[in-house]
Amino acid sequence: MPSPDQPKEFRIVAYVPTWEARAVGRSIRRAVASPGAERDTAVQSLKAAGAALLAWAVAGWWWNAPLAISRPP
């Protein structure tokens, strides 16, 4: 708990990470428990990550590059 002599802004900032962690936990529980917006968002994020991984793998194979982020030969 912040001391009373600290400005009010510092007290608010000190509680934000805890509040945000609780919000993330609630969203995860909702996504796992039942269908809804949270699950749709999670699925969409996983699809985007999979597409990015596939694009990275194809680019590495196509260009024969050990690091697919580099420019083509």
Short mmCIF file of all heavy atoms in Angstrom, two decimals:
data_model
loop_
_atom_site.label_atom_id
_atom_site.label_comp_id
_atom_site.label_asym_id
_atom_site.label_seq_id
_atom_site.Cartn_x
_atom_site.Cartn_y
_atom_site.Cartn_z
N MET A 1 0.86 -1.18 0.00
CA MET A 1 0.00 0.00 0.00
C MET A 1 0.89 1.23 0.00
O MET A 1 1.82 1.33 0.80
CB MET A 1 -0.89 -0.06 1.24
CG MET A 1 -1.82 1.09 1.38
SD MET A 1 -3.40 0.60 0.73
CE MET A 1 -4.33 2.03 1.00
N PRO A 2 0.66 2.17 -0.89
CA PRO A 2 1.48 3.39 -0.95
C PRO A 2 1.25 4.25 0.29
O PRO A 2 0.20 4.21 0.92
CB PRO A 2 1.01 4.11 -2.20
CG PRO A 2 -0.18 3.38 -2.70
CD PRO A 2 -0.32 2.12 -1.95
N SER A 3 2.27 5.01 0.61
CA SER A 3 2.15 5.89 1.77
C SER A 3 1.27 7.09 1.44
O SER A 3 1.15 7.48 0.28
CB SER A 3 3.54 6.35 2.21
OG SER A 3 4.12 7.13 1.20
N PRO A 4 0.64 7.69 2.45
CA PRO A 4 -0.28 8.80 2.20
C PRO A 4 0.39 10.06 1.64
O PRO A 4 -0.28 10.89 1.03
CB PRO A 4 -0.88 9.10 3.57
CG PRO A 4 -0.47 8.00 4.45
CD PRO A 4 0.64 7.27 3.81
N ASP A 5 1.70 10.19 1.82
CA ASP A 5 2.35 11.40 1.33
C ASP A 5 2.68 11.34 -0.17
O ASP A 5 3.10 12.32 -0.75
CB ASP A 5 3.63 11.68 2.13
CG ASP A 5 4.63 10.54 2.05
OD1 ASP A 5 4.19 9.39 1.86
OD2 ASP A 5 5.82 10.81 2.20
N GLN A 6 2.46 10.19 -0.83
CA GLN A 6 2.69 10.10 -2.26
C GLN A 6 1.53 10.75 -3.01
O GLN A 6 0.39 10.72 -2.55
CB GLN A 6 2.80 8.64 -2.70
CG GLN A 6 4.08 7.99 -2.27
CD GLN A 6 4.12 6.55 -2.72
OE1 GLN A 6 3.08 5.90 -2.82
NE2 GLN A 6 5.31 6.05 -2.98
N PRO A 7 1.81 11.32 -4.17
CA PRO A 7 0.73 11.90 -4.98
C PRO A 7 -0.29 10.83 -5.37
O PRO A 7 0.02 9.65 -5.46
CB PRO A 7 1.44 12.44 -6.21
CG PRO A 7 2.87 12.54 -5.83
CD PRO A 7 3.12 11.53 -4.77
N LYS A 8 -1.50 11.25 -5.64
CA LYS A 8 -2.58 10.33 -5.95
C LYS A 8 -2.31 9.52 -7.22
O LYS A 8 -2.70 8.36 -7.31
CB LYS A 8 -3.88 11.13 -6.12
CG LYS A 8 -5.10 10.27 -6.17
CD LYS A 8 -6.34 11.13 -6.14
CE LYS A 8 -7.57 10.27 -6.01
NZ LYS A 8 -8.78 11.05 -5.87
N GLU A 9 -1.63 10.09 -8.20
CA GLU A 9 -1.34 9.38 -9.44
C GLU A 9 -0.57 8.09 -9.20
O GLU A 9 -0.80 7.09 -9.82
CB GLU A 9 -0.55 10.25 -10.42
CG GLU A 9 -1.31 11.45 -10.93
CD GLU A 9 -1.25 12.64 -9.97
OE1 GLU A 9 -0.27 12.75 -9.22
OE2 GLU A 9 -2.21 13.42 -9.95
N PHE A 10 0.37 8.12 -8.26
CA PHE A 10 1.17 6.94 -7.98
C PHE A 10 0.33 5.84 -7.34
O PHE A 10 0.55 4.68 -7.57
CB PHE A 10 2.37 7.28 -7.09
CG PHE A 10 3.40 8.10 -7.79
CD1 PHE A 10 3.74 9.36 -7.34
CD2 PHE A 10 4.01 7.64 -8.93
CE1 PHE A 10 4.68 10.12 -8.00
CE2 PHE A 10 4.96 8.40 -9.61
CZ PHE A 10 5.28 9.64 -9.13
N ARG A 11 -0.63 6.20 -6.55
CA ARG A 11 -1.50 5.19 -5.94
C ARG A 11 -2.34 4.51 -7.01
O ARG A 11 -2.52 3.30 -6.98
CB ARG A 11 -2.41 5.84 -4.89
CG ARG A 11 -1.67 6.16 -3.63
CD ARG A 11 -2.65 6.58 -2.56
NE ARG A 11 -2.06 7.73 -1.92
CZ ARG A 11 -2.70 8.79 -1.51
NH1 ARG A 11 -4.00 8.88 -1.68
NH2 ARG A 11 -2.08 9.79 -0.95
N ILE A 12 -2.85 5.24 -7.97
CA ILE A 12 -3.67 4.66 -9.03
C ILE A 12 -2.83 3.72 -9.89
O ILE A 12 -3.24 2.61 -10.18
CB ILE A 12 -4.31 5.77 -9.90
CG1 ILE A 12 -5.33 6.54 -9.06
CG2 ILE A 12 -4.98 5.18 -11.13
CD1 ILE A 12 -5.84 7.79 -9.73
N VAL A 13 -1.65 4.13 -10.27
CA VAL A 13 -0.78 3.31 -11.11
C VAL A 13 -0.38 2.02 -10.39
O VAL A 13 -0.25 0.98 -11.01
CB VAL A 13 0.47 4.12 -11.52
CG1 VAL A 13 1.49 3.24 -12.22
CG2 VAL A 13 0.06 5.27 -12.43
N ALA A 14 -0.25 2.06 -9.09
CA ALA A 14 0.16 0.88 -8.33
C ALA A 14 -0.88 -0.23 -8.41
O ALA A 14 -0.55 -1.40 -8.32
CB ALA A 14 0.43 1.25 -6.88
N TYR A 15 -2.16 0.11 -8.58
CA TYR A 15 -3.20 -0.90 -8.60
C TYR A 15 -3.57 -1.38 -10.00
O TYR A 15 -4.28 -2.35 -10.14
CB TYR A 15 -4.46 -0.37 -7.90
CG TYR A 15 -4.23 -0.12 -6.44
CD1 TYR A 15 -4.21 1.17 -5.93
CD2 TYR A 15 -4.01 -1.18 -5.57
CE1 TYR A 15 -3.98 1.39 -4.58
CE2 TYR A 15 -3.78 -0.96 -4.24
CZ TYR A 15 -3.77 0.32 -3.74
OH TYR A 15 -3.54 0.54 -2.42
N VAL A 16 -3.10 -0.73 -11.03
CA VAL A 16 -3.47 -1.11 -12.40
C VAL A 16 -3.02 -2.52 -12.76
O VAL A 16 -3.80 -3.29 -13.29
CB VAL A 16 -2.96 -0.07 -13.41
CG1 VAL A 16 -3.11 -0.58 -14.83
CG2 VAL A 16 -3.71 1.24 -13.23
N PRO A 17 -1.78 -2.94 -12.49
CA PRO A 17 -1.39 -4.30 -12.88
C PRO A 17 -2.26 -5.38 -12.22
O PRO A 17 -2.59 -6.37 -12.86
CB PRO A 17 0.06 -4.40 -12.41
CG PRO A 17 0.54 -3.00 -12.38
CD PRO A 17 -0.66 -2.18 -11.99
N THR A 18 -2.65 -5.19 -10.97
CA THR A 18 -3.50 -6.17 -10.31
C THR A 18 -4.86 -6.23 -10.98
O THR A 18 -5.39 -7.31 -11.24
CB THR A 18 -3.67 -5.80 -8.82
OG1 THR A 18 -2.38 -5.69 -8.23
CG2 THR A 18 -4.47 -6.85 -8.09
N TRP A 19 -5.44 -5.06 -11.28
CA TRP A 19 -6.74 -5.02 -11.93
C TRP A 19 -6.67 -5.67 -13.31
O TRP A 19 -7.55 -6.43 -13.69
CB TRP A 19 -7.20 -3.56 -12.05
CG TRP A 19 -8.45 -3.43 -12.82
CD1 TRP A 19 -9.72 -3.60 -12.36
CD2 TRP A 19 -8.57 -3.15 -14.22
NE1 TRP A 19 -10.62 -3.42 -13.38
CE2 TRP A 19 -9.95 -3.15 -14.54
CE3 TRP A 19 -7.66 -2.89 -15.23
CZ2 TRP A 19 -10.40 -2.90 -15.82
CZ3 TRP A 19 -8.13 -2.66 -16.50
CH2 TRP A 19 -9.48 -2.66 -16.78
N GLU A 20 -5.61 -5.37 -14.04
CA GLU A 20 -5.48 -5.92 -15.38
C GLU A 20 -5.27 -7.43 -15.34
O GLU A 20 -5.82 -8.17 -16.17
CB GLU A 20 -4.32 -5.26 -16.11
CG GLU A 20 -4.26 -5.68 -17.55
CD GLU A 20 -3.90 -4.55 -18.47
OE1 GLU A 20 -3.70 -3.42 -18.01
OE2 GLU A 20 -3.84 -4.82 -19.66
N ALA A 21 -4.52 -7.92 -14.37
CA ALA A 21 -4.33 -9.37 -14.25
C ALA A 21 -5.65 -10.06 -13.95
O ALA A 21 -5.94 -11.13 -14.50
CB ALA A 21 -3.32 -9.65 -13.14
N ARG A 22 -6.48 -9.45 -13.11
CA ARG A 22 -7.80 -10.04 -12.84
C ARG A 22 -8.67 -10.05 -14.09
O ARG A 22 -9.39 -11.02 -14.35
CB ARG A 22 -8.50 -9.24 -11.74
CG ARG A 22 -7.96 -9.51 -10.38
CD ARG A 22 -8.84 -8.85 -9.34
NE ARG A 22 -8.06 -8.63 -8.14
CZ ARG A 22 -8.10 -7.56 -7.39
NH1 ARG A 22 -8.92 -6.58 -7.68
NH2 ARG A 22 -7.35 -7.45 -6.31
N ALA A 23 -8.62 -8.97 -14.88
CA ALA A 23 -9.41 -8.90 -16.11
C ALA A 23 -8.97 -9.97 -17.10
O ALA A 23 -9.80 -10.60 -17.76
CB ALA A 23 -9.30 -7.51 -16.72
N VAL A 24 -7.67 -10.19 -17.22
CA VAL A 24 -7.15 -11.22 -18.12
C VAL A 24 -7.61 -12.60 -17.64
O VAL A 24 -8.05 -13.43 -18.44
CB VAL A 24 -5.62 -11.15 -18.21
CG1 VAL A 24 -5.04 -12.37 -18.91
CG2 VAL A 24 -5.19 -9.88 -18.93
N GLY A 25 -7.56 -12.83 -16.34
CA GLY A 25 -8.02 -14.10 -15.79
C GLY A 25 -9.49 -14.34 -16.06
O GLY A 25 -9.89 -15.45 -16.43
N ARG A 26 -10.31 -13.31 -15.90
CA ARG A 26 -11.75 -13.44 -16.19
C ARG A 26 -11.98 -13.76 -17.66
O ARG A 26 -12.80 -14.63 -18.00
CB ARG A 26 -12.49 -12.15 -15.84
CG ARG A 26 -12.81 -12.01 -14.37
CD ARG A 26 -13.79 -10.88 -14.12
NE ARG A 26 -13.37 -9.61 -14.70
CZ ARG A 26 -12.66 -8.68 -14.05
NH1 ARG A 26 -12.30 -8.89 -12.80
NH2 ARG A 26 -12.33 -7.56 -14.64
N SER A 27 -11.26 -13.10 -18.55
CA SER A 27 -11.42 -13.36 -19.98
C SER A 27 -11.02 -14.79 -20.34
O SER A 27 -11.70 -15.44 -21.14
CB SER A 27 -10.59 -12.37 -20.80
OG SER A 27 -11.10 -11.08 -20.66
N ILE A 28 -9.96 -15.27 -19.75
CA ILE A 28 -9.52 -16.64 -20.03
C ILE A 28 -10.55 -17.64 -19.53
O ILE A 28 -10.90 -18.60 -20.22
CB ILE A 28 -8.13 -16.91 -19.41
CG1 ILE A 28 -7.07 -16.11 -20.15
CG2 ILE A 28 -7.80 -18.40 -19.42
CD1 ILE A 28 -5.72 -16.13 -19.50
N ARG A 29 -11.06 -17.42 -18.32
CA ARG A 29 -12.09 -18.32 -17.79
C ARG A 29 -13.34 -18.32 -18.67
O ARG A 29 -13.93 -19.37 -18.93
CB ARG A 29 -12.45 -17.94 -16.36
CG ARG A 29 -11.45 -18.42 -15.33
CD ARG A 29 -11.97 -18.29 -13.92
NE ARG A 29 -12.32 -16.93 -13.56
CZ ARG A 29 -11.47 -16.01 -13.12
NH1 ARG A 29 -10.20 -16.32 -12.98
NH2 ARG A 29 -11.88 -14.80 -12.79
N ARG A 30 -13.76 -17.16 -19.13
CA ARG A 30 -14.94 -17.08 -19.99
C ARG A 30 -14.70 -17.77 -21.33
O ARG A 30 -15.60 -18.42 -21.88
CB ARG A 30 -15.33 -15.63 -20.23
CG ARG A 30 -15.95 -14.98 -19.03
CD ARG A 30 -16.29 -13.53 -19.33
NE ARG A 30 -16.73 -12.87 -18.14
CZ ARG A 30 -16.73 -11.56 -17.97
NH1 ARG A 30 -16.31 -10.77 -18.94
NH2 ARG A 30 -17.15 -11.03 -16.85
N ALA A 31 -13.50 -17.62 -21.88
CA ALA A 31 -13.20 -18.24 -23.18
C ALA A 31 -13.20 -19.76 -23.06
O ALA A 31 -13.64 -20.45 -23.98
CB ALA A 31 -11.85 -17.75 -23.68
N VAL A 32 -12.74 -20.28 -21.94
CA VAL A 32 -12.68 -21.72 -21.76
C VAL A 32 -14.06 -22.28 -21.38
O VAL A 32 -14.44 -23.36 -21.82
CB VAL A 32 -11.63 -22.09 -20.69
CG1 VAL A 32 -11.69 -23.55 -20.32
CG2 VAL A 32 -10.24 -21.72 -21.17
N ALA A 33 -14.82 -21.54 -20.60
CA ALA A 33 -16.08 -22.05 -20.04
C ALA A 33 -17.20 -22.16 -21.07
O ALA A 33 -17.93 -23.15 -21.08
CB ALA A 33 -16.53 -21.17 -18.88
N SER A 34 -17.37 -21.17 -21.92
CA SER A 34 -18.52 -21.19 -22.82
C SER A 34 -18.22 -20.36 -24.07
O SER A 34 -17.36 -19.49 -24.06
CB SER A 34 -19.75 -20.62 -22.13
OG SER A 34 -19.54 -19.27 -21.78
N PRO A 35 -18.96 -20.62 -25.16
CA PRO A 35 -18.77 -19.84 -26.37
C PRO A 35 -19.16 -18.38 -26.14
O PRO A 35 -20.03 -18.08 -25.34
CB PRO A 35 -19.71 -20.47 -27.39
CG PRO A 35 -20.21 -21.72 -26.79
CD PRO A 35 -19.94 -21.68 -25.34
N GLY A 36 -18.49 -17.49 -26.84
CA GLY A 36 -18.79 -16.08 -26.71
C GLY A 36 -17.72 -15.24 -27.37
O GLY A 36 -16.86 -15.74 -28.11
N ALA A 37 -17.76 -13.96 -27.09
CA ALA A 37 -16.82 -13.03 -27.72
C ALA A 37 -15.38 -13.33 -27.34
O ALA A 37 -14.46 -13.21 -28.17
CB ALA A 37 -17.18 -11.60 -27.34
N GLU A 38 -15.15 -13.72 -26.08
CA GLU A 38 -13.78 -14.01 -25.66
C GLU A 38 -13.20 -15.20 -26.41
O GLU A 38 -12.05 -15.19 -26.83
CB GLU A 38 -13.73 -14.28 -24.15
CG GLU A 38 -13.91 -13.04 -23.30
CD GLU A 38 -15.37 -12.73 -23.03
OE1 GLU A 38 -16.25 -13.50 -23.50
OE2 GLU A 38 -15.64 -11.72 -22.37
N ARG A 39 -14.02 -16.22 -26.59
CA ARG A 39 -13.54 -17.40 -27.32
C ARG A 39 -13.29 -17.07 -28.78
O ARG A 39 -12.29 -17.49 -29.37
CB ARG A 39 -14.54 -18.55 -27.21
CG ARG A 39 -14.02 -19.81 -27.88
CD ARG A 39 -14.95 -20.97 -27.73
NE ARG A 39 -14.96 -21.42 -26.35
CZ ARG A 39 -15.67 -22.45 -25.91
NH1 ARG A 39 -16.43 -23.13 -26.75
NH2 ARG A 39 -15.63 -22.80 -24.65
N ASP A 40 -14.19 -16.29 -29.38
CA ASP A 40 -14.01 -15.89 -30.77
C ASP A 40 -12.70 -15.12 -30.95
O ASP A 40 -11.96 -15.34 -31.91
CB ASP A 40 -15.18 -15.03 -31.24
CG ASP A 40 -16.48 -15.80 -31.32
OD1 ASP A 40 -16.43 -17.05 -31.34
OD2 ASP A 40 -17.55 -15.16 -31.37
N THR A 41 -12.41 -14.21 -30.02
CA THR A 41 -11.18 -13.43 -30.09
C THR A 41 -9.96 -14.32 -29.93
O THR A 41 -8.96 -14.16 -30.64
CB THR A 41 -11.19 -12.33 -29.01
OG1 THR A 41 -12.33 -11.51 -29.22
CG2 THR A 41 -9.94 -11.49 -29.08
N ALA A 42 -10.02 -15.28 -29.01
CA ALA A 42 -8.89 -16.19 -28.80
C ALA A 42 -8.64 -17.04 -30.04
O ALA A 42 -7.49 -17.21 -30.46
CB ALA A 42 -9.15 -17.07 -27.58
N VAL A 43 -9.71 -17.55 -30.64
CA VAL A 43 -9.56 -18.37 -31.84
C VAL A 43 -8.99 -17.55 -32.99
O VAL A 43 -8.11 -18.00 -33.73
CB VAL A 43 -10.91 -19.02 -32.23
CG1 VAL A 43 -10.85 -19.66 -33.61
CG2 VAL A 43 -11.31 -20.04 -31.19
N GLN A 44 -9.48 -16.33 -33.14
CA GLN A 44 -8.97 -15.47 -34.20
C GLN A 44 -7.49 -15.15 -34.00
O GLN A 44 -6.70 -15.16 -34.95
CB GLN A 44 -9.77 -14.18 -34.25
CG GLN A 44 -9.43 -13.28 -35.40
CD GLN A 44 -10.33 -12.06 -35.46
OE1 GLN A 44 -11.11 -11.79 -34.56
NE2 GLN A 44 -10.22 -11.30 -36.54
N SER A 45 -7.09 -14.92 -32.77
CA SER A 45 -5.67 -14.66 -32.47
C SER A 45 -4.80 -15.88 -32.78
O SER A 45 -3.70 -15.75 -33.33
CB SER A 45 -5.50 -14.27 -31.01
OG SER A 45 -6.19 -13.08 -30.74
N LEU A 46 -5.29 -17.06 -32.43
CA LEU A 46 -4.52 -18.28 -32.71
C LEU A 46 -4.42 -18.53 -34.21
O LEU A 46 -3.37 -18.97 -34.70
CB LEU A 46 -5.15 -19.47 -32.01
CG LEU A 46 -5.00 -19.48 -30.49
CD1 LEU A 46 -5.83 -20.61 -29.88
CD2 LEU A 46 -3.54 -19.61 -30.10
N LYS A 47 -5.48 -18.26 -34.95
CA LYS A 47 -5.42 -18.40 -36.41
C LYS A 47 -4.42 -17.44 -37.02
O LYS A 47 -3.66 -17.81 -37.93
CB LYS A 47 -6.80 -18.16 -37.02
CG LYS A 47 -7.78 -19.28 -36.82
CD LYS A 47 -9.11 -18.93 -37.48
CE LYS A 47 -10.16 -19.98 -37.30
NZ LYS A 47 -11.42 -19.61 -37.95
N ALA A 48 -4.39 -16.21 -36.54
CA ALA A 48 -3.44 -15.23 -37.06
C ALA A 48 -2.01 -15.65 -36.75
O ALA A 48 -1.11 -15.51 -37.60
CB ALA A 48 -3.74 -13.85 -36.47
N ALA A 49 -1.78 -16.16 -35.55
CA ALA A 49 -0.44 -16.63 -35.20
C ALA A 49 -0.03 -17.82 -36.06
O ALA A 49 1.12 -17.91 -36.51
CB ALA A 49 -0.39 -16.99 -33.71
N GLY A 50 -0.97 -18.72 -36.32
CA GLY A 50 -0.68 -19.87 -37.18
C GLY A 50 -0.37 -19.45 -38.60
O GLY A 50 0.54 -19.99 -39.24
N ALA A 51 -1.12 -18.48 -39.12
CA ALA A 51 -0.87 -17.98 -40.47
C ALA A 51 0.50 -17.31 -40.57
O ALA A 51 1.22 -17.49 -41.56
CB ALA A 51 -1.97 -17.01 -40.89
N ALA A 52 0.86 -16.57 -39.54
CA ALA A 52 2.18 -15.92 -39.54
C ALA A 52 3.29 -16.96 -39.49
O ALA A 52 4.31 -16.83 -40.19
CB ALA A 52 2.28 -14.97 -38.36
N LEU A 53 3.11 -18.01 -38.70
CA LEU A 53 4.12 -19.07 -38.61
C LEU A 53 4.23 -19.81 -39.94
O LEU A 53 5.34 -20.10 -40.41
CB LEU A 53 3.74 -20.04 -37.49
CG LEU A 53 4.73 -21.15 -37.20
CD1 LEU A 53 6.06 -20.59 -36.75
CD2 LEU A 53 4.16 -22.07 -36.15
N LEU A 54 3.11 -20.08 -40.57
CA LEU A 54 3.12 -20.75 -41.87
C LEU A 54 3.80 -19.88 -42.93
O LEU A 54 4.63 -20.38 -43.72
CB LEU A 54 1.70 -21.09 -42.31
CG LEU A 54 1.56 -21.79 -43.66
CD1 LEU A 54 2.23 -23.16 -43.61
CD2 LEU A 54 0.10 -21.92 -44.03
N ALA A 55 3.52 -18.59 -42.94
CA ALA A 55 4.15 -17.68 -43.90
C ALA A 55 5.66 -17.63 -43.68
O ALA A 55 6.44 -17.61 -44.63
CB ALA A 55 3.55 -16.28 -43.77
N TRP A 56 6.08 -17.62 -42.41
CA TRP A 56 7.50 -17.60 -42.09
C TRP A 56 8.17 -18.89 -42.59
O TRP A 56 9.25 -18.86 -43.18
CB TRP A 56 7.68 -17.44 -40.58
CG TRP A 56 9.08 -17.59 -40.12
CD1 TRP A 56 10.07 -16.65 -40.19
CD2 TRP A 56 9.67 -18.76 -39.54
NE1 TRP A 56 11.25 -17.16 -39.67
CE2 TRP A 56 11.01 -18.45 -39.27
CE3 TRP A 56 9.18 -20.01 -39.23
CZ2 TRP A 56 11.87 -19.38 -38.69
CZ3 TRP A 56 10.03 -20.94 -38.65
CH2 TRP A 56 11.36 -20.61 -38.40
N ALA A 57 7.50 -20.03 -42.37
CA ALA A 57 8.08 -21.31 -42.79
C ALA A 57 8.17 -21.40 -44.32
O ALA A 57 9.17 -21.85 -44.87
CB ALA A 57 7.24 -22.45 -42.24
N VAL A 58 7.12 -20.97 -45.02
CA VAL A 58 7.12 -21.01 -46.48
C VAL A 58 8.19 -20.07 -47.04
O VAL A 58 8.91 -20.42 -47.98
CB VAL A 58 5.72 -20.67 -47.04
CG1 VAL A 58 5.77 -20.42 -48.54
CG2 VAL A 58 4.75 -21.78 -46.71
N ALA A 59 8.31 -18.89 -46.47
CA ALA A 59 9.34 -17.95 -46.94
C ALA A 59 10.73 -18.52 -46.72
O ALA A 59 11.61 -18.39 -47.59
CB ALA A 59 9.19 -16.61 -46.21
N GLY A 60 10.96 -19.16 -45.60
CA GLY A 60 12.27 -19.78 -45.35
C GLY A 60 12.57 -20.90 -46.32
O GLY A 60 13.69 -21.06 -46.79
N TRP A 61 11.55 -21.71 -46.64
CA TRP A 61 11.74 -22.81 -47.59
C TRP A 61 11.93 -22.27 -49.01
O TRP A 61 12.81 -22.71 -49.74
CB TRP A 61 10.52 -23.73 -47.52
CG TRP A 61 10.48 -24.72 -48.63
CD1 TRP A 61 11.21 -25.87 -48.73
CD2 TRP A 61 9.67 -24.64 -49.80
NE1 TRP A 61 10.90 -26.51 -49.90
CE2 TRP A 61 9.96 -25.79 -50.58
CE3 TRP A 61 8.74 -23.73 -50.27
CZ2 TRP A 61 9.34 -26.03 -51.80
CZ3 TRP A 61 8.12 -23.98 -51.47
CH2 TRP A 61 8.42 -25.11 -52.23
N TRP A 62 11.12 -21.29 -49.40
CA TRP A 62 11.15 -20.75 -50.75
C TRP A 62 12.49 -20.09 -51.05
O TRP A 62 13.06 -20.26 -52.11
CB TRP A 62 10.02 -19.75 -50.91
CG TRP A 62 9.78 -19.27 -52.32
CD1 TRP A 62 10.69 -18.74 -53.17
CD2 TRP A 62 8.54 -19.27 -53.01
NE1 TRP A 62 10.09 -18.39 -54.35
CE2 TRP A 62 8.77 -18.71 -54.27
CE3 TRP A 62 7.27 -19.68 -52.68
CZ2 TRP A 62 7.76 -18.55 -55.21
CZ3 TRP A 62 6.26 -19.52 -53.60
CH2 TRP A 62 6.52 -18.97 -54.85
N TRP A 63 12.96 -19.27 -50.11
CA TRP A 63 14.20 -18.52 -50.33
C TRP A 63 15.43 -19.29 -49.87
O TRP A 63 16.55 -18.80 -50.00
CB TRP A 63 14.16 -17.20 -49.59
CG TRP A 63 13.15 -16.23 -50.13
CD1 TRP A 63 12.65 -16.17 -51.39
CD2 TRP A 63 12.52 -15.19 -49.41
NE1 TRP A 63 11.75 -15.15 -51.49
CE2 TRP A 63 11.65 -14.53 -50.31
CE3 TRP A 63 12.59 -14.73 -48.10
CZ2 TRP A 63 10.88 -13.45 -49.92
CZ3 TRP A 63 11.82 -13.65 -47.73
CH2 TRP A 63 10.98 -13.02 -48.63
N ASN A 64 15.26 -20.48 -49.31
CA ASN A 64 16.37 -21.24 -48.74
C ASN A 64 17.17 -20.39 -47.76
O ASN A 64 18.41 -20.40 -47.78
CB ASN A 64 17.28 -21.82 -49.84
CG ASN A 64 16.59 -22.88 -50.63
OD1 ASN A 64 15.81 -23.66 -50.09
ND2 ASN A 64 16.86 -22.92 -51.93
N ALA A 65 16.46 -19.62 -46.98
CA ALA A 65 17.11 -18.71 -46.04
C ALA A 65 17.00 -19.28 -44.64
O ALA A 65 15.94 -19.71 -44.21
CB ALA A 65 16.44 -17.35 -46.09
N PRO A 66 18.11 -19.28 -43.89
CA PRO A 66 18.03 -19.75 -42.50
C PRO A 66 17.21 -18.79 -41.64
O PRO A 66 16.61 -19.20 -40.67
CB PRO A 66 19.48 -19.80 -42.05
CG PRO A 66 20.20 -18.87 -42.97
CD PRO A 66 19.44 -18.89 -44.26
N LEU A 67 17.16 -17.54 -42.06
CA LEU A 67 16.38 -16.53 -41.33
C LEU A 67 15.44 -15.90 -42.35
O LEU A 67 15.84 -15.08 -43.16
CB LEU A 67 17.31 -15.48 -40.72
CG LEU A 67 16.65 -14.43 -39.86
CD1 LEU A 67 16.01 -15.07 -38.63
CD2 LEU A 67 17.65 -13.39 -39.41
N ALA A 68 14.19 -16.29 -42.31
CA ALA A 68 13.24 -15.87 -43.35
C ALA A 68 12.92 -14.38 -43.29
O ALA A 68 12.26 -13.86 -44.18
CB ALA A 68 11.95 -16.69 -43.23
N ILE A 69 13.35 -13.71 -42.27
CA ILE A 69 13.10 -12.27 -42.16
C ILE A 69 14.02 -11.49 -43.10
O ILE A 69 13.73 -10.39 -43.48
CB ILE A 69 13.29 -11.81 -40.70
CG1 ILE A 69 12.28 -12.54 -39.81
CG2 ILE A 69 13.12 -10.32 -40.56
CD1 ILE A 69 12.51 -12.34 -38.35
N SER A 70 15.12 -12.11 -43.50
CA SER A 70 16.09 -11.41 -44.36
C SER A 70 15.53 -11.22 -45.77
O SER A 70 14.56 -11.84 -46.16
CB SER A 70 17.40 -12.20 -44.41
OG SER A 70 17.16 -13.47 -45.00
N ARG A 71 16.18 -10.37 -46.53
CA ARG A 71 15.73 -10.08 -47.89
C ARG A 71 15.98 -11.27 -48.80
O ARG A 71 16.82 -12.12 -48.52
CB ARG A 71 16.46 -8.85 -48.41
CG ARG A 71 17.96 -9.06 -48.52
CD ARG A 71 18.63 -7.83 -49.12
NE ARG A 71 20.06 -7.95 -49.06
CZ ARG A 71 20.80 -8.72 -49.85
NH1 ARG A 71 20.24 -9.43 -50.78
NH2 ARG A 71 22.09 -8.77 -49.72
N PRO A 72 15.25 -11.35 -49.91
CA PRO A 72 15.46 -12.47 -50.83
C PRO A 72 16.83 -12.36 -51.51
O PRO A 72 17.38 -11.26 -51.65
CB PRO A 72 14.35 -12.33 -51.86
CG PRO A 72 13.76 -10.99 -51.67
CD PRO A 72 14.16 -10.49 -50.31
N PRO A 73 17.40 -13.48 -51.95
CA PRO A 73 18.74 -13.45 -52.59
C PRO A 73 18.74 -12.74 -53.92
O PRO A 73 17.82 -12.59 -54.60
CB PRO A 73 19.11 -14.92 -52.75
CG PRO A 73 17.87 -15.69 -52.58
CD PRO A 73 16.90 -14.81 -51.86
#
